[in-house]
Amino acid sequence: MQEAYYCYARWGAKAKTEDLEKRYPQLLAPILQGQHHRFQLSSTVDASSFPHQTIHTNLSSSSISEALDFATIFKAAQALSSEIQLEQLLTTLLQVVMENAGAQKAALLVLQQGDLVVEAVATINEGVTLVSVPLSTSEGIPITLVNYVKRSLKTVVLDDAAAQTDFIADSYFMQQQPKSVLCTPMLNQGKLIGLLYLENPLTIGAFTRDRTEVIQLLCAQAAISLENARLYQESQNYAQQLERSLQELEHTQLQMVQNEKMATLGNLVAGVAHEINNPIGFLKGSLNNAEEYIQDLLAHIQFYQQHHPTPAIAVIEHGEEIDLGFLTEDLPKLVGSMKVASERIKDISISLRTFSRADTTEKVACNLHEGIESTLLILKYRLKANEKRPAIEVITEYGKLPPVKCFLGQLNQVFMNILANAIDALDTSCEGLSFAQAQANHHQILIHTEVSSEQNIVAIRIKDNGQGIPEEVRARIFDHLFTTKEVGKGTGLGLAIARQIVEETHNGRLSCNSVLGEGTEFVIEIPVF
């Protein structure tokens, strides 16, 4: 409708433009708004009125059509309407106004919680600068004039600010003494959105009626765009807030799951280790005593044989029946084997306690190899051969690592998750194969540890020779709730928790490298201190 209005006006169809003004005032509001409240300095001064200007309110449609460059206006309005980012909109608005108004300086003020804030200032020499300064502390614009326009919602044009008396007391006018000044409100649906201030320090009457019309038209579009940009910025802030809340929720969920898993697993393993430790201590002590007793009995039998070389026939027959010579030779070996076995059970108990150790509130210097070995011990039953595949070989290439300050209980969980996933990958690669075919693949897991040349980063590499992971899966492997396992076999939390433990808790890095057909490698990098 606005475009049609301008075309009729340019054609000279005055009766038609007046008819449109009566029938569609709501659609032509930006144009009609510019026909009111223009102040121009007059040669006569009325001391009883404020401001000291005469008001020009009658602008004909034909005069508008003669003055405006319609293509320029539409292009400028389109540029404003196309911006949705607030900072870019402020820059574009001042650039467009400076190009079309003949101003040498421009300032845009935006209403924020009832107060005006200078958001951007533009000059011919320096271009647009985003400032965001409260009006009360700004020294670059006349505060008295701006506050008047804010209260009255009227456009004020001073053709010669130095000769005008009502705002001459403003400190800005006294210091800068600009020639031409324009200040216009920016309204959207009758509500003040902001103000536009323009000045020309060199020319008197720079802001003609025609230029004022252009400015007011642009301001009408700018007010809509500013409101849209504000709403868009609020929606973006809200979306970011939701994203942060979601991340915090995921972080809390992972932390709760991690704590619950560690507490449950730790209590279970620690309980088993404790129950094993008590009887094994008794067995170890009893075996030591039994070994002494057996040695005494065997020595006694030996003395008896020396001093009584010809025992009764019944004794000889019983000795042959029980194979006394074999018992005498094998019984000490049997006790020795029992002692070795009890030591092994004790080592298992110690490994279980190492794996399930409760972390303190601060990091403690630990031997990472002990954590890896305790994890392998718990997973040993899964490494053994079964009806579908042969045993999985674990190759350890341990470097000389210094003690690492860490929460070893949490790192054990990381080792457990990665090693369990490696075993799952090797099990999956055997699906559909015969035992002989699976045996030919010689499945193995390589664990390699090393310390950086600067002695400040420890790297643990855990690599399997399974089928590998496709790139689209590898890119999401650490995502929260992402899993490739069947329903009931995976939660999608394991690797997400592992990354959180390594990167957030230990300031390290957890990465995954995979080549289809060759296998997958996880690399854990942790600072030593």
XYZ file of all heavy atoms in Angstrom, residues 2 35 40 58 79 98-99 140 173 186 223 231 255 274 291 316 397 402 415 454 458:
172
model
N 1.983 1.197 0.794
C 2.880 2.354 0.805
C 3.514 2.570 -0.562
O 3.641 3.696 -1.035
C 3.955 2.142 1.873
C 3.405 2.132 3.288
C 4.463 1.777 4.306
O 5.638 1.876 4.015
N 4.035 1.368 5.491
N 4.304 13.592 8.572
C 3.719 14.869 8.175
C 3.391 15.750 9.385
O 2.789 16.788 9.246
C 2.451 14.627 7.366
C 2.707 13.853 6.081
C 1.436 13.595 5.308
O 0.387 14.133 5.631
N 1.526 12.793 4.257
N 10.636 24.109 13.081
C 11.642 24.848 12.322
C 11.776 26.236 12.932
O 10.781 26.858 13.314
C 11.229 24.979 10.853
C 12.291 25.674 10.012
C 11.910 25.697 8.540
O 10.849 25.215 8.174
N 12.755 26.274 7.727
N 1.440 20.718 7.356
C 0.749 20.463 6.093
C 1.752 20.192 4.986
O 2.376 21.086 4.473
C -0.130 21.652 5.714
C -1.229 21.881 6.745
O -1.792 20.915 7.256
N -1.510 23.147 7.046
N 17.130 -2.900 3.386
C 18.358 -3.213 4.113
C 18.094 -3.301 5.611
O 18.624 -4.175 6.301
C 19.426 -2.157 3.818
N 22.932 8.137 7.617
C 23.985 9.077 7.236
C 23.998 9.301 5.730
O 24.227 10.414 5.249
C 25.343 8.536 7.689
C 25.507 8.426 9.193
S 25.989 9.938 10.009
C 27.702 10.059 9.551
N 23.715 8.240 4.965
C 23.724 8.358 3.509
C 22.550 9.180 2.999
O 22.662 9.879 1.985
C 23.672 6.970 2.880
C 24.937 6.143 3.090
C 24.789 4.723 2.594
O 23.681 4.391 2.104
O 25.736 3.932 2.725
N 28.353 12.951 24.344
C 28.409 13.149 22.900
C 27.124 13.627 22.263
O 27.068 13.804 21.038
N 25.540 21.808 23.483
C 25.394 22.891 22.505
C 26.394 24.008 22.778
O 26.935 24.620 21.849
C 23.967 23.445 22.535
C 22.963 22.562 21.841
C 21.684 22.402 22.358
C 23.301 21.898 20.685
C 20.757 21.604 21.717
C 22.375 21.093 20.036
C 21.111 20.933 20.562
N 11.539 6.887 17.734
C 11.293 5.671 16.959
C 10.206 4.901 17.690
O 10.410 4.425 18.822
C 12.579 4.846 16.834
C 13.715 5.610 16.185
S 15.309 4.739 16.245
C 14.946 3.335 15.234
N 12.229 1.011 13.698
C 11.586 0.668 14.964
C 11.079 -0.769 14.944
O 11.225 -1.514 15.912
C 10.438 1.632 15.246
N 13.513 -9.074 20.099
C 12.836 -10.341 20.345
C 13.723 -11.508 19.932
O 13.777 -12.540 20.619
C 11.502 -10.386 19.590
C 10.440 -9.391 20.063
C 9.222 -9.440 19.146
C 10.035 -9.682 21.511
N 27.244 -37.196 36.476
C 27.909 -37.255 37.778
C 27.184 -38.201 38.716
O 27.811 -38.981 39.445
C 27.950 -35.842 38.384
C 28.898 -35.699 39.560
C 30.350 -35.849 39.160
O 30.758 -35.371 38.115
N 31.130 -36.535 39.972
N 37.030 -57.969 51.081
C 37.101 -58.112 52.542
C 36.774 -59.535 52.975
O 37.455 -60.115 53.839
C 36.133 -57.125 53.191
C 36.090 -57.234 54.695
N 37.115 -56.810 55.493
C 35.128 -57.739 55.515
C 36.801 -57.042 56.766
N 35.594 -57.608 56.802
N 53.076 -76.700 57.276
C 54.362 -77.036 56.664
C 55.377 -77.432 57.732
O 56.148 -78.388 57.571
C 54.864 -75.839 55.861
C 56.120 -76.129 55.060
C 56.545 -74.956 54.210
O 56.233 -73.800 54.598
O 57.168 -75.171 53.162
N 55.029 -102.669 56.941
C 55.583 -102.639 55.572
C 54.463 -102.654 54.547
O 54.490 -101.904 53.561
C 56.527 -103.841 55.369
C 57.751 -103.709 56.299
C 56.969 -103.934 53.925
C 58.646 -104.917 56.276
N 52.663 -53.017 27.184
C 53.954 -52.360 26.933
C 54.037 -51.150 27.855
O 53.684 -50.033 27.492
C 54.068 -51.940 25.463
C 54.039 -53.101 24.484
C 54.092 -52.650 23.033
O 53.981 -51.413 22.792
O 54.220 -53.506 22.139
N 56.021 -42.012 36.053
C 56.133 -41.475 37.418
C 54.776 -41.591 38.115
O 53.754 -41.786 37.464
C 56.514 -40.009 37.177
C 55.879 -39.679 35.856
C 55.958 -40.944 35.037
N 39.364 -47.095 32.616
C 40.027 -48.293 32.081
C 39.023 -49.421 31.878
O 39.044 -50.103 30.845
C 41.138 -48.752 33.039
C 42.207 -47.726 33.293
C 42.873 -47.687 34.509
C 42.551 -46.802 32.322
C 43.858 -46.746 34.756
C 43.537 -45.859 32.549
C 44.192 -45.830 33.764
N 58.666 -33.985 28.037
C 58.764 -32.971 29.081
C 58.434 -33.529 30.459
O 58.463 -32.798 31.456
C 57.820 -31.795 28.775
C 58.172 -31.010 27.525
C 57.648 -31.703 26.263
O 56.874 -32.669 26.415
O 58.015 -31.276 25.153
N 51.202 -38.024 30.845
C 51.222 -39.477 30.738
C 50.166 -39.899 29.725
O 49.027 -39.403 29.750
C 50.940 -40.136 32.106
C 50.615 -41.609 31.941
C 52.142 -39.979 33.016
